[in-house]
Amino acid sequence: MAEARSPEVDDEPVDPDVDLRIPAQRAELRAGQAPVIAVVALGGAIGASARYGAGLLWATAPGAFPWTTLVINAAGCAVIGVLMVVITDARAAHRLVRPFFGTGVLGGFTTFSTYAVDVQRLVDRGQARTGLAYLSLTLLTALAAVWAAAALTRRLVRWRRSGVRGGTGRADR
């Protein structure tokens, strides 16, 4: 018996390699995604806990500039730059490394929602210029952190590879 599909579903793009009407392919799809969802959840809990701890250690006083959130987001973006170069240029990583560390840990550590709430609070307190500065500074700092960390890491990877090929002995270990 064929399942009735709504017109909205019929308009969605379909992966031609997967036919969800076949139970074995549905089960295979679920089995392949379960570990990814689990590691993203675990990493997210770790990253969010680390951010919470940083917020306790370097609490921002009410009405003060939210430096802690700015530094957390910049640091997280820098680590994302390093991670992306390491897993794409340096070495093959297990398929769960990127979802665990990139999406989970770093996604949980960095925070767009706190950033948005911080901007809103500054504006609500009549500090619109400070809010706009914070909005811009965070964006620029995050982009610069990713770019700088990725560039430095890429340079380090190249240097290490040239040392391995040249047989200096340092990188051969």
Side-chain angles (χ1 to χ4, degrees):
M1 185 161 126
E3 292 180 34
R5 298 179 74 183
S6 70
E8 296 86 26
V9 172
D10 289 337
D11 292 339
E12 295 294 322
V14 176
D15 183 348
D17 297 330
V18 177
D19 187 350
L20 296 179
R21 292 174 290 185
I22 300 171
Q25 289 189 4
R26 279 197 311 260
E28 182 180 317
L29 188 63
R30 274 188 233 125
Q33 294 298 316
V36 174
I37 293 169
V39 297
V40 167
L42 177 64
I46 292 168
S49 297
R51 176 168 41 90
Y52 180 73
L56 291 177
L57 286 174
W58 302 289
T60 301
F65 190 85
W67 287 107
T68 303
T69 305
L70 175 68
V71 170
I72 284 171
N73 283 333
C77 286
V79 177
I80 287 170
V82 171
L83 173 69
M84 294 312 294
V85 170
V86 167
I87 64 174
T88 59
D89 293 4
R91 60 178 49 207
H94 188 275
R95 74 178 190 98
L96 297 178
V97 168
R98 188 172 170 176
F100 170 72
F101 200 69
T103 306
V105 174
L106 296 173
F109 184 67
T110 57
T111 173
F112 184 77
S113 58
T114 303
Y115 166 61
V117 168
D118 288 344
V119 170
Q120 182 180 9
R121 285 182 180 159
L122 288 168
V123 171
D124 288 347
R125 287 188 194 120
Q127 298 174 302
R129 286 183 186 166
T130 305
L132 186 59
Y134 174 59
L135 190 73
S136 304
L137 185 62
T138 298
L139 179 63
L140 293 173
T141 303
L143 289 173
V146 169
W147 178 81
L152 289 172
T153 305
R154 192 164 283 122
R155 180 174 271 187
L156 182 65
V157 167
R158 283 189 198 129
W159 173 78
R160 184 161 165 80
R161 283 186 180 157
S162 69
V164 170
R165 285 186 200 131
T168 61
R170 289 186 188 164
D172 293 337
R173 291 182 218 168

